[in-house]
Amino acid sequence: MELIVSLAIGVLAGSGVWLLLRPRTFQVIMGLSLLSYAVNLFIFSTGGLRTGAAPVLEHGVPGNLAQHADPLPQALVLTAIVISFATTALFLVVLLASRGLTGTDHVDGRERDG
Amino acid sequence: MDHLTIAPIILPLLAGALMVLAGERRRRLQIVLGLVSTLGLLGLAITLLLQVDGVAPGAEAVVRVYRLGNWPAQFGIVLALDRLSALMLLLTAVLGLAALTFSLARWHHAGVHFHPLFQFQLLGLNGAFLTGDLFNLFVFFEVLLAASYGLVLHGSGTARVRTGLHYIAVNLVASLLFLIGASMIYGLAGTLNMADLAARIPALAAEDRGLLEAGAAILGVAFLIKAGMWPLGFWLPTTYAAASAPAAAILSILSKVGVYAVLRLWLLLFGEGAGASAGFGGGWLVAGGLLTIGFGSIAVLATQNMARLAGASVLVSSGTLLAAVGAGQVAVSGGALFYLASSVLALAALFLLIELVERGRGVGADVLAVTREAFGEGEEEELEDEEVGVAIPATIATLGLSFFTCALLLAGLPPLSGFLAKFAMLAPLFAPGEGGVPATSWALLAALLLSGMATIVAMTRAGIDAFWAAPDDAVLRVGVVEIAPVMVLLALCIGLTVGAGPAMRYMEATAATLHAPAGYVRGILSAAPGTRGGSP
């Protein structure tokens, strides 16, 4: 379980960083999205990973706090998702404005010479 | 509980929300709301500062705690107001008022939603300075960044959109790094409350320490990107130069938010009481700060454009602060805080001033022309009659004198507060003590003197170009509302010079509290049981 999650985070973050360093704005925004997925999974996993645990209560066992996952990372990841979604949407608008004003989708607003 | 602590967050939030409801058409209402809110913030900041300053350093009451939802500090989110927060609140309010007044002359109708964005910017800044919770700090960072994206793009135009794109991309990555760092620290320490973290870090197991330091380092990178430390700050001069003058003035405190976060968290989490991790990363701060000063000085000398010169001066000032904070001495930090106040005011004045000077030279005018084109000439024409303002006699003399004052302040030449700040930082480093003076002190001395020289050379050159060159045919028209904020900001710097005694005493008390965070930690954690209603 830990291996799968960490591999998933690693692959997402790696592809995100690679795309982020590309010269086209669309690639940058995809990279940012992938990177934010990686970060969200990472935050989520700081609450601890368990397999085969009961969703809320074990049958016949009185509930106690140790059975539940830590709820705080879940609250944090929700906030992080909302914020990164909003800022990505804003970035998309700026990207389109830049495309319209400069006529190119290069991140520097002009094609490299030669 | 005492609800005054949360007022600096609530007031701009309400004002901004009302402005959005009022809509763009009722601009007069928006202006009134903005002025009322910003003046209110100034009043609040002064009140809070005086209240906080009333208690002796080291006492329990050195920090005022506001528990949101009245949860105990370990479980809920707290706002914490101490001397440093109060100082930053006051600086924000002063800059906010100056930038808003300046924008009323013409900039505020160069695009849509300037006034609400401005209020949300103040909300984010105030929140970031007040919060005592790491994740809450992230949320307020995002609020202030989201508003600053809008302000940087305010006025539109190719140059702004192009640099805005870089600015947003860099800051989105920084925010992701912030999240990684914060969640790593939470995973290890099990809390996000800054004071609680400080209390738990010394007790961490030795094998977790590497992970904690990695998390703190990632968090530090996120803050240092905002502060513009070399090599993370290449976005800063271009963005600041492209932003409209009032936006740039408020941005000059934005880079200090990163410095504030480093100052607050580094001294709290890795101060002397942090056990094995004490002083972690101090060397990096000093080295990074020195390199930033070096890079900023070269950038100051290399640039032809006045706005970029101001942007590069922001780098120099950030570098100076980081290096001084990294030195980790109480007296040096006191001087650094004095430098922070002086340089923020001077830089904001410079950004506003540059716009006025460039207008006469027709260089900045082309940017404004693009803006007018984009947002319709009609509106501009219609408002022309009431907005032009009187042409001040000897405008150039006033502007020149202000520019000269800015140069003295930024270069740190006597007799103004810039010199006093640099002296206050350097004097404790060379105080007679055991074991001689370390090499880093000499390096900092050299960096400060050389950066001061670079600044004075560059600003003299720019000033000669701007003021002594053959005058244009066009009469330079500057409204009173435009020159007044610059004069007020510079007058405050002169006030800092004249009142350096009480100001330094306040800064030293602030630094003493920061370097001995036990009172701060106790103050927040002991506020646990909720007192229902009533006064504290």
Side-chain angles (χ1 to χ4, degrees):
Chain A
M1 184 66 177
E2 283 84 355
L3 190 66
I4 294 174
V5 173
S6 45
L7 273 177
I9 294 174
V11 169
L12 278 174
S15 347
V17 168
W18 189 77
L19 280 173
L20 200 62
L21 299 174
R22 306 296 304 161
R24 304 283 150 204
T25 46
F26 186 71
Q27 292 168 317
V28 170
I29 204 165
M30 291 321 278
L32 278 171
S33 307
L34 288 184
L35 210 52
S36 77
Y37 297 155
V39 170
N40 288 341
L41 276 177
F42 180 76
I43 303 174
F44 195 65
S45 65
T46 54
L49 297 170
R50 274 184 300 176
T51 45
V56 184
L57 285 176
E58 201 89 44
H59 185 67
V61 182
N64 67 25
L65 282 178
Q67 286 175 1
H68 299 289
D70 186 352
L72 197 67
Q74 304 175 7
L76 300 187
V77 85
L78 256 178
T79 317
I81 288 172
V82 173
I83 290 178
S84 64
F85 173 73
T87 43
T88 310
L90 184 89
F91 190 65
L92 194 60
V93 175
V94 178
L95 183 160
L96 289 176
S98 167
R99 174 78 177 79
L101 282 170
T102 60
T104 161
D105 65 346
H106 194 279
V107 284
D108 287 336
R110 57 169 178 270
E111 296 295 330
R112 185 164 298 171
D113 303 326
Chain B
M1 266 196 293
D2 182 2
H3 295 290
L4 206 58
T5 317
I6 200 175
I9 297 178
I10 298 285
L11 186 62
L13 179 66
L14 279 180
L18 284 175
M19 283 172 184
V20 173
L21 287 179
E24 280 295 296
R25 296 192 157 272
R26 270 175 274 179
R27 186 154 276 151
R28 220 168 274 278
L29 182 63
Q30 288 195 333
I31 293 174
V32 171
L33 273 173
L35 284 175
V36 167
S37 153
T38 320
L39 277 171
L41 279 182
L42 187 61
L44 275 172
I46 293 174
T47 318
L48 289 174
L49 187 118
L50 290 178
Q51 286 183 2
V52 167
D53 197 30
V55 294
E60 277 302 280
V62 77
V63 53
R64 275 170 58 152
V65 185
Y66 185 86
R67 294 184 306 280
L68 297 164
N70 213 0
W71 291 91
Q74 289 89 339
F75 303 114
I77 291 171
V78 292
L79 300 181
L81 177 87
D82 66 347
R83 280 190 171 81
L84 180 60
S85 310
L87 173 69
M88 300 307 285
L89 284 183
L90 185 60
L91 281 176
T92 311
V94 167
L95 287 195
L97 193 58
L100 186 67
T101 318
F102 184 90
S103 76
L104 293 182
R106 51 170 76 189
W107 275 106
H108 74 124
H109 49 70
V112 289
H113 299 307
F114 175 80
H115 289 287
L117 280 173
F118 195 84
Q119 292 300 318
F120 292 135
Q121 174 81 80
L122 295 179
L123 154 75
L125 283 166
N126 286 344
F129 294 140
L130 277 174
T131 187
D133 182 279
L134 200 53
F135 198 79
N136 209 221
L137 182 66
F138 167 75
V139 174
F140 279 120
F141 258 70
E142 287 306 308
V143 172
L144 74 89
L145 285 174
S148 79
Y149 301 152
L151 286 181
V152 163
L153 294 171
H154 178 73
S156 195
T158 314
R160 292 207 182 100
V161 171
R162 194 160 56 206
T163 54
L165 194 75
H166 296 176
Y167 175 65
I168 298 177
V170 167
N171 276 296
L172 286 181
V173 174
S175 302
L176 294 175
L177 288 175
F178 192 147
L179 279 176
I180 296 177
S183 55
M184 274 174 89
I185 290 178
Y186 173 74
L188 287 167
T191 180
L192 283 167
N193 184 290
M194 296 177 194
D196 203 12
L197 271 177
R200 288 190 193 197
I201 279 181
L204 270 186
E207 65 264 26
D208 286 345
R209 210 154 273 285
L211 212 48
L212 172 86
E213 288 176 356
I218 293 175
L219 203 60
V221 169
F223 294 142
L224 292 174
I225 287 178
K226 299 209 164 54
M229 186 176 95
W230 188 88
L232 308 168
F234 295 124
W235 58 272
L236 197 145
T238 27
T239 311
Y240 281 38
S244 59
I250 201 82
L251 282 179
S252 73
I253 198 164
L254 214 71
S255 65
K256 300 296 178 289
V257 178
V259 177
Y260 163 85
V262 168
L263 194 61
R264 163 78 73 209
L265 283 171
W266 184 63
L267 289 176
L268 189 61
L269 302 186
F270 298 107
E272 274 149 31
S277 298
F280 166 72
W284 284 96
L285 280 182
V286 174
L290 290 176
L291 284 171
T292 316
I293 299 177
F295 174 71
S297 309
I298 294 171
V300 162
L301 281 179
T303 181
Q304 301 276 323
N305 174 329
M306 274 176 129
R308 286 186 67 97
L309 191 158
S313 309
V314 173
L315 283 182
V316 173
S317 124
S318 277
T320 309
L321 280 168
L322 289 173
V325 170
Q329 292 182 27
V330 182
V332 185
S333 300
L337 288 168
F338 191 82
Y339 179 79
L340 187 144
S342 157
S343 73
V344 162
L345 294 173
L347 282 170
L350 183 59
F351 275 116
L352 297 180
L353 194 61
I354 282 171
E355 206 267 327
L356 299 178
V357 175
E358 299 253 292
R359 186 184 299 169
R361 300 201 299 164
V363 180
D366 53 9
V367 186
L368 207 62
V370 173
T371 314
R372 280 205 194 127
E373 205 172 83
F375 283 91
E377 229 145 315
E379 188 180 24
E380 184 70 25
E381 290 304 316
E382 162 194 328
L383 288 160
E384 199 74 33
D385 298 334
E386 42 179 333
E387 300 286 345
V388 163
V390 287
I392 301 178
T395 314
I396 285 289
T398 320
L399 290 181
L401 202 60
S402 306
F403 190 81
F404 174 67
T405 317
C406 276
L408 286 187
L409 281 166
L410 289 175
L413 288 186
L416 292 178
S417 56
F419 168 73
L420 295 178
K422 285 195 174 177
F423 185 75
M425 278 188 285
L426 288 175
L429 285 175
F430 292 90
E434 73 282 4
V437 180
T440 49
S441 301
W442 288 111
L444 188 60
L445 174 76
L448 283 189
L449 294 184
L450 288 178
S451 71
M453 201 178 80
T455 309
I456 204 74
V457 168
M459 290 197 63
T460 312
R461 196 178 55 190
I464 289 174
D465 266 1
F467 298 107
W468 289 356
D472 296 355
D473 301 338
V475 185
L476 187 55
R477 294 182 81 83
V478 173
V480 181
V481 278
E482 291 179 302
I483 193 69
V486 179
M487 305 294 261
V488 168
L489 287 176
L490 292 176
L492 281 174
C493 286
I494 294 171
L496 266 182
T497 318
V498 177
M504 252 335 266
R505 188 198 51 72
Y506 182 85
M507 305 301 179
E508 273 163 7
T510 312
T513 329
L514 284 173
H515 279 269
Y520 178 85
V521 173
R522 249 198 335 271
I524 290 183
L525 295 183
S526 67
T531 45
R532 301 209 174 271
S535 51

